[in-house]
Amino acid sequence: MLISNMEVVPGKKVARHLGLVQGSTVRAKHAGRDIMAGIKNIFGGELKGYTELLSESRDEALARMSEQARQLGANAVVNVRFSTSSIAAGASEIFVYGTAVILEDR
């Protein structure tokens, strides 16, 4: 499955437009990560626990979107975008969406 943030893919043409596909996940902070983040805030630096959490969340949301596109018969998702939002104290949603298409060589 080709995933692209571009509207068009060089060397390919959109043979069929299958519609909007999306994937999301809601994740809560881990108490252990919160404690380490609080300490890190005092001394500065990257909050690696949160970086890993967000990376895993993006991967999960992308996988869900890709699966939805596969179910429609797509071989690509174009014009992909990410969004984040706070759902509750300590919980955030990662949302990804794009257009499922069938691409063919030109």
Side-chain angles (χ1 to χ4, degrees):
M1 176 77 56
L2 177 76
I3 306 292
S4 176
N5 66 336
M6 296 173 25
E7 292 180 29
V8 295
V9 177
K12 305 281 186 182
K13 69 175 183 171
V14 175
R16 193 160 165 224
H17 175 276
L18 301 172
L20 178 72
V21 287
Q22 60 196 9
S24 69
T25 185
V26 176
R27 299 285 180 103
K29 293 188 277 187
H30 181 279
R33 286 182 176 160
D34 249 6
I35 292 167
M36 294 307 294
I39 293 169
K40 199 65 125 164
N41 275 336
I42 295 169
F43 299 104
E46 180 182 6
L47 304 176
K48 291 185 181 181
Y50 288 144
T51 300
E52 291 170 7
L53 178 67
L54 288 171
S55 179
E56 292 166 5
S57 298
R58 281 190 301 271
D59 290 346
E60 186 172 338
L62 271 171
R64 290 176 178 176
M65 181 191 69
S66 296
E67 180 56 32
Q68 189 178 52
R70 271 189 208 91
Q71 290 176 359
L72 293 175
N75 65 359
V77 182
V78 295
N79 205 26
V80 172
R81 301 290 183 259
F82 284 90
S83 176
T84 61
S85 61
S86 179
I87 299 298
S92 294
E93 177 189 33
I94 301 288
F95 180 68
V96 61
Y97 59 97
T99 304
V101 297
I102 296 175
L103 293 179
E104 293 178 351
D105 291 327
R106 289 187 186 250

